[in-house]
Amino acid sequence: MDLNLLEKISDFEWRIPKHGKMRVPGIIFASEELILNMDMKVYEQVTNVAALPGIVQGSYAMPDAHWGYGFPIGGVAAFDPDNEGVVSAGGVGFDISCGVRLLSTGFKREEFEPYKEQLADALFAHIPAGVGSKSRINLTMKQMDDMLHGGAVWAVKQGYGEWDDLERIEDNGRVEGALPEHVSEHAKKRQKNEMGTLGSGNHYLEIQEVQTIYCEKTAAAFGLAQGDVVVSIHCGSRGLGHQIGTDYLRSMLIYAQEHGIQLIDRELACAPIRSPMGERYLGAMRSGINCALANREIITHFMREVFQNEMPGTQIKLIYDVSHNTCKEETHQVEDKTMRLFVHRKGATRAFGPGHPQLTKAFSHVGQPVIIGGSMGTASYVLVGVASAEHKSFGSACHGAGRAMSRHQATKQWRGSEIIERLAQQGILIRSSSYRGVAEEAPEAYKNVDFVVDSAQASGLTQKVAKLKPIVCVKG
DNA sequence: ATGTAC
């Protein structure tokens, strides 16, 4: 991206001044180096989003931003429902409520070391992963609707997961306002036997070691100490979310045509929040969120079964579960006004600071855990929400490393088998059904997650708590 | 991300 197009606010905050059809400025939170390496497409997409009806305050890009469908991945935008505000399927993303959860195993690295090979094999055997992976759970259409209403709460009621998990999931494991009747039959059929599956792409289940602690007090509040063995699960709403995105993108395009709405980019198809189309999408999207929350809960259950078999007596506790592809109705302060807004976070994590009324008791005094999934074989981070993010980004932070290179380009440059061998030499075990998938996820195909997280902290969006180093990675 | 193109 050309720095000459931006106004520098600080070393880590840059403004795209309002021009053309923009209703608000664009703001990119990143170091000069990250911005120089960002695609011009990010500039275009942040600018296009700024022109959507009802957008409030700014169109934001996080330090991990890259080119996405319509909205950039790493994009945050909030809309006023009472002033023409819209909801956009491309603004949520196709993998609705894709997210990461972090769990503690109670083991230290030295205790775990002798078990790592057998755990890697058992997890890979027990948890379905890869393109089109199928589950041993097969839901009826009635059960699908119950799941879409109930999210992780439904999963726990079915015997997958533990009751104590729920208060450690965003929205306590289930969002209100899901309307499964607005999810197509086709979407539900695709998902019937995909509950508890990892999927492919950048999704994974990883066993990690807490390598560095940046803030002892917050780490202790989260239940993390140096040398602890933890598990991260990164996945979303699988075929269901994707089908909802596909269905509503088409419907929103037709809606725009019928209502004479001019779209700068067809990929930004959207509908007013206060319209039948907007309400139907929101109801379907919330069903997608519940599906992803249930999916991560079921995968957690399968993972706990594996630990129970291989290391009997293990108690695995959920630390937190965040989503990073959502649109949520939230209360925010805009200048001196309190507003109800619909906040799109696409490849961006909610990051509420201490004292935020939506946080559960466990985190109300310390701030929300923000879990950053790094790329395969590289570090992940645990961050904490800070109050300053509230007025900067509607309480949002980055979500991962962010791609630096397309999947196609990555497969031309690396071979999966070589990457697995190289990581094995570093003591990192990869288990995957697809060499091509591994090549697409080569560490070098991503931005440096350290730089992304440092930028997020320096720009006042979040604070570092801990750095996690991979030990075992089960990939799709 | 995705039954990696209806």
Side-chain angles (χ1 to χ4, degrees):
Chain A
M1 188 180 298
D2 184 355
L3 288 172
N4 292 320
L5 295 165
L6 308 174
E7 286 175 11
K8 184 171 177 174
I9 301 170
S10 73
D11 286 345
F12 297 92
E13 192 171 343
W14 307 71
R15 183 190 293 115
I16 302 174
K18 237 165 83 167
H19 65 275
K21 293 180 175 169
M22 291 171 81
R23 296 162 192 256
V24 292
I27 302 283
I28 304 175
F29 298 103
S31 65
E32 191 170 311
E33 191 188 349
L34 283 171
I35 295 208
L36 284 169
N37 287 313
M38 267 181 202
D39 202 301
M40 264 307 284
K41 275 281 172 188
V42 175
Y43 175 91
E44 283 174 31
Q45 293 189 323
V46 170
T47 302
N48 289 342
V49 169
L52 287 171
I55 187 164
V56 173
Q57 196 168 277
S59 166
Y60 299 96
M62 302 293 115
D64 49 342
H66 57 108
W67 180 10
Y69 189 93
F71 282 53
I73 294 161
V76 175
F79 296 83
D80 179 358
D82 300 320
N83 187 22
E84 299 176 29
V86 293
V87 59
S88 165
V92 170
F94 281 74
D95 190 4
I96 295 167
S97 197
C98 183
V100 194
R101 61 166 50 187
L102 179 70
L103 305 102
S104 64
T105 65
F107 294 110
K108 288 289 181 189
R109 173 65 196 250
E110 318 78 71
E111 301 172 275
F112 180 73
E113 192 62 26
Y115 296 91
K116 76 176 190 184
E117 290 269 353
Q118 72 192 68
L119 250 299
D121 292 335
L123 287 167
F124 186 56
H126 199 61
I127 295 169
V131 179
S133 44
K134 298 288 177 240
S135 175
R136 71 203 79 132
I137 299 171
N138 197 340
L139 301 183
T140 64
M141 291 302 258
K142 165 75 173 70
Q143 289 171 315
M144 277 297 295
D145 285 352
D146 292 343
M147 180 275 288
L148 296 174
H149 273 297
V153 179
W154 171 88
V156 173
K157 281 183 187 162
Q158 303 301 305
Y160 307 114
E162 298 171 6
W163 288 103
D164 287 348
D165 295 341
L166 297 176
E167 63 173 357
R168 289 178 173 262
I169 303 174
E170 229 175 280
D171 305 298
N172 296 314
R174 116 174 240 280
V175 292
E176 297 285 339
L179 301 171
E181 61 270 36
H182 296 312
V183 176
S184 69
E185 193 91 352
H186 185 40
K188 292 175 192 173
K189 280 189 176 149
R190 278 183 70 171
Q191 190 64 29
K192 271 159 60 78
N193 52 7
E194 286 192 348
M195 294 309 293
T197 65
L198 264 180
S200 62
N202 63 0
H203 291 166
Y204 57 76
L205 184 152
E206 214 165 71
I207 302 175
Q208 302 153 326
E209 170 191 2
V210 178
Q211 189 181 25
T212 313
I213 298 280
Y214 302 98
C215 175
E216 290 285 350
K217 197 173 151 227
T218 311
F222 290 174
L224 291 169
Q226 192 165 351
D228 283 356
V229 173
V230 294
V231 178
S232 282
I233 298 171
H234 178 204
C235 72
S237 51
R238 306 281 289 111
L240 181 115
H242 191 266
Q243 192 61 45
I244 292 171
T246 305
D247 290 341
Y248 278 91
L249 194 85
R250 188 168 48 220
S251 304
M252 285 174 173
L253 267 176
I254 294 167
Y255 179 93
Q257 273 172 2
E258 287 175 355
H259 291 76
I261 297 168
Q262 299 285 323
L263 297 170
I264 298 177
D265 175 358
R266 283 170 60 87
E267 296 183 357
L268 287 177
C270 56
I273 292 158
R274 303 277 187 243
S275 70
M277 177 62 67
E279 282 168 11
R280 283 202 291 275
Y281 174 70
L282 284 166
M285 190 245 351
R286 288 165 181 153
S287 310
I289 292 180
N290 286 335
C291 174
L293 298 179
N295 192 32
R296 289 196 285 275
E297 191 65 32
I298 296 172
I299 292 172
T300 298
H301 175 75
F302 290 159
M303 179 266 291
R304 281 174 169 143
E305 286 182 334
V306 171
F307 269 86
Q308 218 47 253
N309 280 335
E310 307 296 326
M311 305 174 83
T314 306
Q315 294 280 323
I316 295 186
K317 288 189 187 145
L318 182 57
I319 292 174
Y320 205 57
D321 180 303
V322 294
S323 296
H324 49 230
N325 280 357
T326 58
C327 176
K328 287 187 175 169
E329 186 177 4
E330 294 169 0
T331 303
H332 289 283
Q333 286 294 127
V334 180
E335 287 158 13
D336 52 357
K337 274 193 296 185
T338 301
M339 298 180 84
R340 287 296 277 177
L341 298 173
F342 285 72
V343 184
H344 293 65
R345 294 189 183 89
K346 178 185 184 182
T349 309
R350 199 188 75 174
F352 288 159
H356 194 287
Q358 264 186 267
L359 292 183
T360 46
K361 222 184 289 173
F363 304 117
S364 62
H365 61 294
V366 53
Q368 179 205 311
V370 175
I371 306 161
I372 304 298
S375 53
M376 177 185 61
T378 66
S380 292
Y381 279 87
V382 182
L383 316 175
V384 64
V386 292
S388 53
E390 166 60 26
H391 69 272
K392 280 181 171 284
S393 60
F394 300 108
S396 314
C398 54
H399 84 304
R403 288 202 82 86
M405 183 186 295
S406 72
R407 294 184 178 282
H408 182 69
Q409 208 179 336
T411 53
K412 285 198 295 188
Q413 218 156 319
W414 293 285
R415 293 182 65 83
S417 53
E418 289 163 0
I419 289 166
I420 290 172
E421 205 173 306
R422 169 155 52 101
L423 292 173
Q425 282 165 8
Q426 299 169 32
I428 303 167
L429 301 179
I430 306 293
R431 293 290 184 273
S432 175
S433 54
S434 163
Y435 281 127
R436 180 170 147 195
V438 171
E440 288 179 354
E441 294 297 314
E444 295 83 355
Y446 281 80
K447 300 184 212 290
N448 184 323
V449 69
D450 300 331
F451 297 164
V452 167
V453 165
D454 286 345
S455 280
Q457 173 163 292
S459 52
L461 302 181
T462 177
Q463 284 282 329
K464 292 199 280 189
V465 177
K467 183 174 183 173
L468 313 174
K469 182 188 165 197
I471 303 172
V472 168
C473 179
V474 176
K475 282 203 71 66

